[in-house]
Amino acid sequence: MAIETACHEFPWSANTMQSCLAGRYFNGAIFEHEQLVGFYIGEVAGPDHTLMDICVAPAYQRKGLAKALLTDFIAASEQADAENLFLEVRASNKGAIALYEWAGFSEVGIRKNYYPSASGNEDAILMAMALSFGSQSSL
């Protein structure tokens, strides 16, 4: 929760975070000197996986850890034979959008007024990536 709170103006609640630690969710993490410094939460929805959250502690940002976490999310999804990957990102989060595009995600839609913000609400950009499993990919 400390990383979630440090990374987001409107962080998930502890209950939401706790509910994403089992069931249809899977997680990845990076530790530095036995301390958690970054994580992601993925969700399995049928043949598709969704990146629900990805965070790197502020002191460890800009060191390639988000790229490593995203690469791990994609690899775990490929290993599980997922067909498509999805995520939502704040329209203002240009750094994250560039990272997702680098990894192969493309914009597929917009959710208007999806995220709370200090000045009201902000749009979410929907991004997706089809994984290469022959004819299984549906995007």
Side-chain angles (χ1 to χ4, degrees), residues 84-139:
N84 303 294
L85 304 180
F86 296 95
L87 61 85
E88 296 157 343
V89 59
R90 285 181 181 271
S92 64
N93 194 341
K94 303 302 182 194
I97 293 167
L99 173 65
Y100 300 140
E101 288 174 341
W102 165 86
F105 284 85
S106 300
E107 182 178 331
V108 295
I110 295 179
R111 291 191 197 274
K112 294 286 186 188
N113 300 314
Y114 184 77
Y115 288 110
S117 72
S119 60
N121 289 310
E122 180 178 355
D123 294 346
I125 296 176
L126 301 172
M127 300 185 85
M129 177 191 334
L131 297 179
S132 300
F133 291 103
S135 61
Q136 289 181 355
S137 292
S138 59
L139 284 180

